[in-house]
Amino acid sequence: MRDTPTPLPGSGGGRWYQSPVETHTCPDCAADTDHCHGTLIIHRDGLVECTEPGCTPADPVRHALLLDCVEVEGGCVCVGTIVVDEVAGAA
C-alpha cells in the first residue's frame, strides 16, 4: 500500500505537493538587495565567472558562494596552464 500525501490546506484536495520555491523566500530577495543566486568561480588568473546566465556584474559581493576554479568538478584548464608556466619559469 502506498502512502498518500495530505493535500495542502485550502487546495480543495486537488494539489498534493508543495514546491520548495513556495516554502522558502530568499532573505536578499525579500529585502530587494542586489544579489545573485549563482556560484562565482574565481580563476587563478583573476578572471571570474558566474554559473547564473546573465549575471552582471560578476562581483564577489553579490554572491553567497565563491569557489576557486580547482574546486569545480573536473578541474579547470587554467590550473594546468599556470602549473606548467611556474615549472617552466623555475628551470
Side-chain angles (χ1 to χ4, degrees):
M1 183 171 174
R2 194 174 103 156
D3 289 334
T4 305
T6 305
L8 292 172
S11 69
R15 199 161 141 215
W16 297 96
Y17 68 96
Q18 187 167 6
S19 166
V21 174
E22 295 172 322
T23 60
H24 174 72
T25 300
C26 169
D28 288 331
C29 287
D32 199 28
T33 303
D34 182 28
H35 68 288
C36 179
H37 294 146
T39 300
L40 195 66
I41 301 169
I42 303 171
H43 293 277
R44 297 289 171 108
D45 61 3
L47 292 176
V48 293
E49 64 180 319
C50 181
T51 58
E52 189 72 23
C55 173
T56 54
D59 185 347
V61 174
R62 298 182 66 239
H63 295 82
L65 184 57
L66 308 173
L67 290 178
D68 189 283
C69 67
V70 297
E71 298 177 76
V72 176
E73 186 175 332
C76 183
V77 295
C78 77
V79 174
T81 304
I82 290 172
V83 170
V84 169
D85 290 345
E86 289 174 358
V87 172

